[in-house]
Amino acid sequence: MIKKFIRKILGVKDKPARDLTEPIVLGPEEHGIDPKLVSSNAIRVTSSLQEAGFKAFVVGGAVRDLLLGVKPKDFDIATDATPEQVKRLFRRAFIIGKRFQIVHVMFGQDLLEVTTFRGAGEVNAPKDEHGRVLRDNSFGPQHEDAMRRDFTINAMYYDPATQQVLDYHGGIADIRDKTLRIIGVPEARYREDPVRMLRVVRFAARLRFNIEHSTQAPIAVMAPLINNVPAARVFDEMLKLLMSGHALACLQQLRKEGLHHGLLPLLDVVLEQPIGMKFVTLALESTDNRVKAGKGVSPGFLFASLLWHQVVEKWTAYRAAGESPIPALHLAADDVLDSQTEQLALQRKIASDMRDIWSMQPRFERRSGKSPYKLLEHVRFRAGYDFLLLRCESGEIDMELGEWWTAFYEGDASERESLLTSERAAPAGAKRKRAPRRGPRKSGAEATAGGNTDE
């Protein structure tokens, strides 16, 4: 009231609120999108829908990336056609989802996600006791669909046919200002879907954008709501975060916003320990480098790295209690996997890969007889070996062990026999001679290349 009175006295007129039902329309000379960056299959889908009399646009993160001059990895399509109408237009189309119905349209191995414009139906949608939307398949006009999207930079629509961008919430301005801003009232949007708080972190770290104050302010208080989200959804979002190419920055942002508790809670302790910090940093840098180079990344190797020092801590405790090293390691692995599977919904394949990588580590100490040859035949040897190199490089164990295994792994039959002979000749307790290096030593990112790809 006082502000209005002062503005009236000074003759300052209130700026009228922009009509959010009408978009700002930008042509190619204004937005600068390179049409060559648009997937031919995305053009095929939008064209087919438009020829059938429907509206159809490339939407969301793909438009954001195109505006940033980056070729998108995925292209999502938004349309006013219902899922059933979309399905009828394409030979390989499948309706999926319970919470939100979407259509997957396949062209060979290329998958495009097609969604029908969402209506403003969250008010009457089924919710849990914390306000999280459980199911909502109401459809509506395009401006309501834009309102339903999470951030302004993800709420723009691009029509490949006209090369126009439709911007309902000032997304273009926020991209130019490098600002991440949620649409609507932040507290309400986070309550509807707490995973949005994790998405804030991922986008801010990946794009190097600043989080707008009102978007950031409620996160620390509302972070516990993530505990009410199904573990499988949290795991999917964590996987996107860790494989974004900016994993280390994302984890640092998670800690800054207070979101790491309940996700990888003991990781916070690890990151405060010199050796643990270096180990995790090397693993994440390796992953980031592989993602940026367009190479494959193994979730099993990544999570084995993140949780390794939890295993080491329990492994040490079991050995101190009198357990033999190998059984102690298996018990430690069981403890960590049991607790993290419940929290993160780790898939069985990923957990199996993690267990294999961990269980191989004591076997690298056996460098005599047939043991090294048997270990070489292990289906996950390369992942275990790369994991060993991370342990060496972080200072957890002596570098000599990793160098010996590098020479053995890369050597021919005579070189391997020579290495085994030198092991037998070394007196008990004597410091072994370092294995000869074969060429320049690899960096941490290069050394873990094999373990960070599915075999």
Side-chain angles (χ1 to χ4, degrees):
M1 291 293 291
I2 294 176
K3 287 184 179 179
K4 286 184 178 180
F5 177 73
I6 292 174
R7 291 174 70 86
K8 187 175 181 180
I9 293 293
L10 295 175
V12 179
K13 295 182 179 180
D14 288 331
K15 185 178 180 180
R18 193 167 75 80
D19 183 1
L20 298 180
T21 66
E22 293 295 330
I24 294 173
V25 180
L26 298 99
E29 67 286 347
E30 296 170 287
H31 58 64
I33 288 177
D34 182 356
K36 295 177 183 176
L37 295 177
V38 183
S39 156
S40 59
N41 286 329
I43 296 173
R44 186 173 170 183
V45 171
T46 54
S47 298
S48 297
L49 285 163
Q50 290 169 354
E51 288 169 5
F54 301 108
K55 294 180 181 179
F57 301 84
V58 175
V59 71
V63 182
R64 177 197 67 226
D65 290 346
L66 288 169
L67 288 165
L68 291 170
V70 177
K71 185 174 178 61
K73 290 183 179 178
D74 303 300
F75 284 85
D76 294 340
I77 310 298
T79 178
D80 59 353
T82 65
E84 291 77 13
Q85 289 170 328
V86 173
K87 188 177 186 299
R88 284 197 291 267
L89 287 175
F90 301 98
R91 186 170 60 85
R92 296 184 63 202
F94 312 92
I95 297 176
I96 67 166
K98 293 181 179 178
R99 185 170 178 266
F100 296 122
Q101 273 196 340
I102 59 178
V103 182
H104 281 174
V105 179
M106 304 289 297
F107 297 100
Q109 296 299 312
D110 192 12
L111 183 152
L112 285 87
E113 195 168 278
V114 182
T115 59
T116 304
F117 293 150
R118 304 289 171 188
E122 288 185 346
V123 174
N124 299 317
K127 301 177 182 178
D128 67 11
E129 65 272 23
H130 304 286
R132 180 172 65 88
V133 175
L134 301 175
R135 188 174 61 259
D136 184 10
N137 280 309
S138 63
F139 305 134
Q142 188 175 23
H143 71 269
E144 290 186 3
D145 183 77
M147 180 65 75
R148 289 282 301 273
R149 295 186 180 273
D150 47 12
F151 307 110
T152 59
I153 63 171
N154 290 342
M156 290 176 284
Y157 303 78
Y158 175 69
D159 183 352
T162 63
Q163 294 187 40
Q164 290 182 330
V165 169
L166 277 58
D167 180 6
Y168 284 88
H169 294 280
I172 288 275
D174 283 340
I175 281 182
R176 290 171 179 166
D177 292 339
K178 296 186 179 299
T179 299
L180 192 61
R181 185 191 314 273
I182 203 163
I183 296 170
V185 180
E187 292 85 351
R189 302 309 303 277
Y190 294 145
R191 200 171 293 281
E192 290 163 359
D193 187 0
V195 168
R196 285 175 178 142
M197 290 184 278
L198 299 180
R199 288 167 61 80
V200 168
V201 167
R202 175 158 60 89
F203 289 134
R206 178 188 161 198
L207 301 173
R208 297 183 181 179
F209 277 24
N210 296 314
I211 304 173
E212 185 264 334
H213 175 71
S214 63
T215 299
Q216 183 178 38
I219 292 178
V221 176
M222 303 186 76
L225 290 178
I226 292 176
N227 296 328
N228 304 318
V229 178
R233 277 201 73 211
V234 175
F235 176 77
D236 287 343
E237 191 59 37
M238 282 296 294
L239 209 52
K240 291 178 184 177
L241 184 148
L242 293 170
M243 295 188 175
S244 65
H246 303 274
L248 187 58
C250 284
L251 284 183
Q252 290 168 341
Q253 188 80 35
L254 276 177
R255 294 181 73 203
K256 178 182 176 182
E257 305 299 339
L259 287 168
H260 56 290
H261 302 296
L263 298 172
L264 292 170
L266 296 183
L267 186 61
D268 196 43
V269 178
V270 170
L271 292 175
E272 293 173 358
Q273 299 171 352
I275 292 179
M277 175 63 176
K278 188 171 183 180
F279 182 88
V280 169
T281 299
L282 287 169
L284 294 177
E285 285 177 346
S286 167
T287 298
D288 288 347
N289 289 336
R290 290 188 64 80
V291 171
K292 290 170 184 174
K295 298 179 180 179
V297 176
S298 164
F301 186 91
L302 181 56
F303 279 99
S305 302
L306 292 177
L307 299 175
W308 171 240
H309 279 77
Q310 297 180 32
V311 174
V312 170
E313 184 179 326
K314 292 181 180 293
W315 187 18
T316 302
Y318 277 120
R319 291 175 70 178
E323 208 54 75
S324 298
I326 303 298
L329 177 58
H330 288 306
L331 288 170
D334 287 344
D335 287 350
V336 171
L337 286 173
D338 286 347
S339 64
Q340 291 297 336
T341 297
E342 183 178 346
Q343 289 180 319
L344 281 176
L346 288 171
Q347 298 166 8
R348 186 174 299 177
K349 167 82 166 57
I350 294 175
S352 175
D353 289 347
M354 293 165 66
R355 191 186 297 277
D356 284 346
I357 291 167
W358 292 337
S359 65
M360 270 188 276
Q361 298 312 301
R363 296 178 62 183
F364 285 109
E365 299 284 349
R366 303 173 185 170
R367 291 182 277 173
S368 61
K370 296 182 179 180
S371 294
Y373 290 105
K374 288 181 179 178
L375 191 53
L376 278 179
E377 295 172 359
H378 195 293
V379 68
R380 296 288 296 162
F381 168 79
R382 182 58 198 249
Y385 161 72
D386 289 340
F387 196 85
L388 173 75
L389 295 185
L390 275 181
R391 296 175 64 207
C392 292
E393 195 166 350
S394 69
E396 179 190 332
I397 56 176
D398 196 309
M399 188 70 76
E400 183 272 334
L401 181 61
E403 291 179 341
W404 188 95
W405 271 100
T406 296
F408 189 81
Y409 173 53
E410 296 177 351
D412 57 26
S414 62
E415 288 172 327
R416 288 176 177 178
E417 189 55 38
S418 175
L419 287 165
L420 292 173
T421 301
S422 66
E423 282 295 309
R424 290 192 293 268
K431 187 173 182 179
R432 296 179 174 89
K433 184 179 179 180
R434 287 181 180 269
R437 292 182 181 175
R438 296 171 61 87
R441 178 165 177 77
K442 298 175 182 178
S443 67
E446 293 169 331
T448 58
N452 243 349
T453 185
D454 290 315
E455 298 178 352

